[in-house]
Amino acid sequence: MPRPRRTQISVEDTPYYHCCSRVVRRAFLCGYDAYSGKNYDHRRAWVESLLFELEAVFAIDVAAFAVMSNHLHVVLRVDIDCTNRWTDREVLEQWHKLFKGDELTQKFAKGELVEAHEVHRLKHSIAIYRSRLCDISWFMRCLNEPIARQANQEDNCTGRFWEGRFKSQALLDEAAVLACMAYVDLNPIRAQLVDTPEQSDHTSIQLRIRAALKGEQPKNLLPFTGNEHENQPNGIAFSLTDYLELVDNTGRIIRNDKRGAISENSAKLLIRLNIHYDNWLKLTTEFGKLFHGPVGTLQELTDYCEHLEKRRRHFAASCQHFHSN
């Protein structure tokens, strides 16, 4: 039986989570569907557009994403500090970008006077909204439900569009985050849809490459901040150039089956992550098969499971892929 989502999220252990949603019947409802003969590729743009709309509302950053023909991958970072910094009015302003709230929250957001007997109810609503704005379940709900309604309206039908609940897994350290991001970014290459990362439409890697050519980083993606020991704003503690090179090298190996095509810089990055070359290739090609729960070293899995009162043994077998030995 699926566990409640609250028993899978532990921001105390990590703010990073990999989420995946699949469409029903394994049909290509966001691409070319051979069964129906219809092309639904335009729906991938719907997903990408809504993803960034939500990123601007929630205190949740998008680190990586890939919108495929029949499934969606996102790597998300929960920013609890952001929601704690928001004033009560800012919380309501963010929430009202998606939902109407009620007459009381609308009145307060507009700066109108709130009666004394209404304060308790107002504070309760704000606390709920503040919590939801850093909740991955609410983020994915606000992403998946509108897409399902829009697709059903286009098809003039009712029923499920997505396959049950989305799947989520905690990424417990920087090695797990980087490996999962690369796995997500390389989806189109593994599927043999494209030859290079820059050709991968509706992916974070394509956006990062296009921005990098201008000496920039995409504003709607969690940035790479370089040296993690420096006083940097929230971001991914690696060099963007190193990551792009590593993904490009890995993509060439996957596409051409050329062992040893990892550059010297990429090899140094894998050494820093304590991941052996063979393990890296396995992680970036079979991540979804290897891990069905939290991802990290054995000690990190132990701590995570203790905090959520889970049994560690179910998840421990795959942790060996994050050791260089």
Side-chain angles (χ1 to χ4, degrees):
M1 179 179 296
R3 288 178 174 269
R5 196 71 62 190
R6 64 180 180 275
T7 69
Q8 301 176 39
I9 304 295
S10 174
V11 180
E12 176 183 3
D13 292 290
T14 179
Y16 288 95
Y17 294 85
H18 170 222
C19 302
C20 180
S21 294
R22 290 188 177 275
V23 299
V24 294
R25 302 182 302 277
R26 297 193 179 276
F28 290 79
L29 298 185
C30 288
Y32 176 73
D33 186 3
Y35 178 77
S36 66
K38 295 181 179 180
N39 192 313
Y40 301 102
D41 196 59
H42 59 280
R43 292 176 179 172
R44 296 168 64 196
W46 295 354
V47 178
E48 181 176 346
S49 177
L50 182 55
L51 179 67
F52 290 139
E53 180 182 331
L54 296 175
E55 182 272 339
V57 173
F58 283 79
I60 294 177
D61 300 305
V62 178
F65 74 93
V67 187
M68 303 297 288
S69 295
N70 64 349
H71 65 285
L72 160 71
H73 287 281
V74 287
V75 177
L76 304 174
R77 179 188 181 275
V78 180
D79 192 349
I80 291 291
D81 292 337
C82 179
T83 54
N84 290 336
R85 289 193 302 267
W86 282 339
T87 64
D88 288 351
R89 181 166 283 109
E90 287 173 330
V91 168
L92 293 182
E93 287 173 350
Q94 291 298 103
W95 186 255
H96 290 162
K97 291 177 182 179
L98 295 175
F99 301 97
K100 293 182 179 180
D102 57 30
E103 184 178 353
L104 179 58
T105 62
Q106 288 286 350
K107 183 165 65 173
F108 180 77
K110 293 176 183 177
E112 298 176 7
L113 181 65
V114 174
E115 301 293 337
H117 69 275
E118 298 175 316
V119 171
H120 177 74
R121 180 162 65 90
L122 175 65
K123 290 289 185 181
H124 180 69
S125 296
I126 292 172
I128 291 175
Y129 298 160
R130 191 185 298 273
S131 175
R132 289 176 179 175
L133 286 168
C134 59
D135 187 318
I136 285 178
S137 290
W138 270 89
F139 184 96
M140 294 300 294
R141 170 184 174 179
C142 292
L143 177 64
N144 287 347
E145 288 187 4
I147 297 298
R149 288 195 299 268
Q150 192 172 356
N152 283 346
Q153 183 178 16
E154 183 180 59
D155 292 339
N156 193 27
C157 70
T158 59
R160 287 186 177 274
F161 180 82
W162 301 100
E163 236 179 29
R165 301 196 312 169
F166 71 93
K167 296 178 174 61
S168 67
Q169 55 189 163
L171 305 174
L172 301 177
D173 59 22
E174 60 183 16
V177 170
L178 213 66
C180 187
M181 286 180 61
Y183 168 77
V184 169
D185 279 332
L186 288 167
N187 254 256
I189 290 180
R190 283 198 313 276
Q192 300 182 341
L193 299 176
V194 297
D195 292 330
T196 62
E198 57 266 31
Q199 296 172 337
S200 304
D201 293 337
H202 306 294
T203 63
S204 49
I205 193 67
Q206 185 185 69
L207 297 183
R208 291 193 188 278
I209 292 172
R210 288 177 175 176
L213 292 174
K214 302 176 184 178
E216 303 171 351
Q217 294 201 52
K219 295 181 180 179
N220 43 19
L221 291 176
L222 185 66
F224 283 79
T225 58
N227 190 333
E228 78 268 39
H229 299 297
E230 297 178 2
N231 184 21
Q232 296 279 2
N234 289 336
I236 305 163
F238 293 92
S239 160
L240 171 62
T241 302
D242 288 348
Y243 176 73
L244 295 180
E245 184 176 348
L246 178 61
V247 171
D248 182 63
N249 290 168
T250 309
R252 293 175 188 272
I253 297 170
I254 293 172
R255 189 179 71 249
N256 300 324
D257 194 26
K258 291 184 178 179
R259 180 180 175 82
I262 289 288
S263 68
E264 183 178 350
N265 282 340
S266 294
K268 289 180 180 178
L269 181 53
L270 293 183
I271 292 173
R272 173 184 162 186
L273 294 170
N274 197 31
I275 300 177
H276 189 274
Y277 170 88
D278 289 334
N279 284 352
W280 174 255
L281 293 182
K282 195 170 185 65
L283 287 169
T284 52
T285 54
E286 301 180 28
F287 195 96
K289 296 179 181 178
L290 291 171
F291 304 103
H292 298 284
V295 185
T297 65
L298 183 59
Q299 183 57 55
E300 288 157 347
L301 286 170
T302 300
D303 294 341
Y304 168 86
C305 292
E306 287 178 353
H307 291 154
L308 293 180
E309 299 181 352
K310 286 172 173 272
R311 294 181 61 186
R312 186 196 67 194
R313 193 171 303 168
H314 178 68
F315 307 116
S318 296
C319 71
Q320 60 183 322
H321 296 289
F322 285 95
H323 295 279
S324 61
N325 295 335

